[in-house]
């Protein structure tokens, strides 16, 4: 099972000092976290993609290329790549290049994005978000699998005799996750192609997460990719740890109360009760995280958010250290001891995809939004 960290790259005032890092300091902090992740034995580092303040990771491939040059084992991922506002041609070429530079240590998570103003900045209409996600991703798949592409769609100019360069490493595209918090169409899309499904698992209660993952698993089996429990699932989560629960809550409370995403809302206690946010000891984080499989089933990737809301970089680095040294070794052992033999323990990697050989000609016809929506509602 893969364990790692993801960052949203927010530039937030530290509520205990009133000081915010510069954009440069925040970028440097994220890179230090990535290097620390490999140092302590974590498997994955993932960065978000944002084009609006107070976030800075507007160029994930540039960031991940920097990390690739300074690491040897770390899997590089995104959380997420905006399939709606990015040109599929540019995604195809950028991530194939990153594949080559990293020796295949890259996968990516596709997402629609939930910041309305970003869409018109890139000439897109947020009301067409689902349609954009469906059409753009299907084109991306073709660009990665066909040497010459003729294509015409609704949202970009046609392609005639187009070849994306470079081609994917070893002729094998990166593995793709589809990230969604609330859209059943995206869970359906992931299932249609047999891709992975990543549920952020931060803002919602476990019943919502359970239903979204159940839908994906059910439709994964429906489309003939394997049994429902063999579907490739990833979950997010947020933690803050200290020697005692009281100490963890005392330190983290001002950061929670002023967080740009969920601050000034429910109390820390209410939010930890309603969502997977865990603020306490490493033992409490282990217990809570093991419980995710009780409602989501056996899954393959767990990513933690640990640097949000203005936490100082030295504190965030200490959190990564605790994850790698104290939490993840126990989680690996416990999760694997309960996993049935027929359920994959890891998501596909470049090596496993190359070993599996060329993909079968499965679902070559682009799915219509209406069909995905209808199928999701029926399920």
């Amino acid at each position: 099972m893969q364990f790692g960290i993801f960052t949203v790259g927010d530039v937030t005032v530290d509520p205990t000092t009133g000081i915010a890092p510069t954009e440069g300091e925040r970028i440097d902090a994220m890179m230090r976290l990535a290097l620390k992740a490999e140092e302590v034995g974590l498997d994955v580092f993932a960065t978000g993609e944002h084009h609006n303040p107070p976030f800075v990771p507007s160029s994930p491939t540039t960031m991940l290329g920097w990390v690739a040059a300074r690491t040897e084992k770390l899997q590089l991922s995104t959380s997420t790549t905006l399939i709606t506002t990015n040109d599929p041609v540019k995604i195809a070429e950028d991530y194939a290049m990153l594949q080559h530079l990293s020796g295949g240590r890259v996968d990516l998570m596709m997402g629609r994005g939930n910041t309305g103003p970003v869409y018109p900045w890139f000439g897109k209409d947020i009301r067409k978000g689902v349609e954009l996600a469906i059409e753009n991703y299907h084109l991306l798949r073709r660009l990665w699998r066909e040497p010459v592409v003729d294509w015409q769609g609704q949202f970009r100019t046609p392609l005639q005799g187009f070849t994306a360069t470079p081609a994917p490493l070893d002729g094998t595209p990166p593995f793709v996750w589809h990230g969604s918090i609330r859209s059943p169409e995206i869970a359906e899309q992931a299932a249609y192609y047999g891709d992975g499904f990543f549920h952020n698992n931060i803002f919602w209660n476990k019943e919502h997460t359970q239903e979204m993952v159940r839908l994906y698993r059910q439709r994964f089996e429906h489309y003939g990719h394997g049994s429902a429990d063999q579907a490739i699932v990833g979950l997010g989560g947020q933690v803050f740890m200290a020697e005692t629960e009281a100490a963890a809550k005392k330190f983290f409370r001002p950061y929670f109360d002023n967080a740009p995403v969920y601050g000034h809302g429910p109390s820390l206690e209410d939010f930890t009760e309603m969502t997977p946010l865990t603020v306490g000891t490493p033992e409490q984080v282990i217990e809570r995280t093991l419980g995710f499989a009780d409602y989501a089933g056996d899954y393959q990737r767990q990513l933690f958010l640990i640097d949000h809301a203005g936490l100082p970089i030295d504190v965030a680095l200490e959190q990564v250290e605790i994850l790698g040294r104290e939490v993840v070794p126990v989680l690996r052992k416990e999760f694997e001891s309960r996993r049935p033999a027929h359920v994959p323990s890891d998501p596909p990697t470049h090596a496993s995809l190359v070993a599996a050989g060329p993909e079968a000609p499965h679902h070559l016809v682009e799915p219509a939004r209406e069909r995905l929506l209808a199928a999701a509602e029926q399920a």
Side-chain angles (χ1 to χ4, degrees), residues 326-349:
E326 300 182 38
V327 174
V328 166
V330 178
L331 290 177
R332 288 191 200 279
K333 180 180 178 180
E334 293 297 325
F335 273 123
E336 292 313 307
S337 69
R338 60 198 288 180
R339 187 185 305 274
H342 70 283
V343 175
S345 59
D346 294 309
T349 63

Side-chain angles (χ1 to χ4, degrees), residues 244-326:
T244 68
E245 181 179 1
K249 288 183 174 179
K250 180 180 180 180
F251 188 96
F252 189 67
R253 190 179 301 278
Y255 296 95
F256 174 88
D257 289 345
N258 292 278
V261 175
Y262 46 56
H264 312 287
S267 69
L268 174 59
E269 286 72 18
D270 287 343
F271 202 82
T272 53
E273 176 69 25
M274 294 184 295
T275 78
L277 171 65
T278 307
V279 181
T281 65
E283 292 75 18
Q284 287 175 305
V285 169
I286 291 169
E287 181 181 4
R288 190 81 180 278
T289 305
L290 288 173
F292 294 170
D294 294 338
Y295 57 84
D298 295 295
Y299 61 109
Q300 287 73 33
R301 175 176 284 184
Q302 173 66 57
L303 300 183
F304 295 101
L305 176 64
I306 48 80
D307 68 329
H308 178 51
L311 280 174
I313 179 59
D314 60 330
V315 175
L317 289 169
E318 182 182 24
Q319 293 293 301
V320 177
E321 185 83 30
I322 296 171
L323 278 176
R325 306 299 189 197
E326 300 182 38

Side-chain angles (χ1 to χ4, degrees), residues 188-264:
E188 182 78 18
Q189 183 184 37
Y192 179 86
Y193 291 110
D195 295 336
F197 179 67
F198 189 92
H199 195 278
N200 200 315
N201 201 35
I202 289 179
F203 305 114
W204 292 80
N205 56 41
K206 65 181 182 181
E207 290 79 12
H208 175 81
T209 301
Q210 181 180 35
E211 184 59 24
M212 289 290 288
V213 173
R214 182 202 65 82
L215 169 62
Y216 161 68
R217 290 186 182 279
Q218 182 183 72
R219 303 305 290 174
F220 181 95
E221 181 173 303
H222 169 80
Y223 288 119
H225 301 295
S227 62
D229 60 355
Q230 292 175 317
I232 305 300
V233 174
L235 296 178
Q238 183 174 5
V239 298
F240 184 81
M241 296 170 285
E243 291 186 2
T244 68
E245 181 179 1
K249 288 183 174 179
K250 180 180 180 180
F251 188 96
F252 189 67
R253 190 179 301 278
Y255 296 95
F256 174 88
D257 289 345
N258 292 278
V261 175
Y262 46 56
H264 312 287

Side-chain angles (χ1 to χ4, degrees), residues 87-89 124 135-136 139 151-159:
D87 184 355
V89 172
K124 307 300 181 182
E135 179 177 297
N136 285 354
L139 173 56
W151 179 90
Q152 184 169 348
Q154 179 181 355
F155 298 110
R156 77 173 315 282
T157 54
L159 298 173

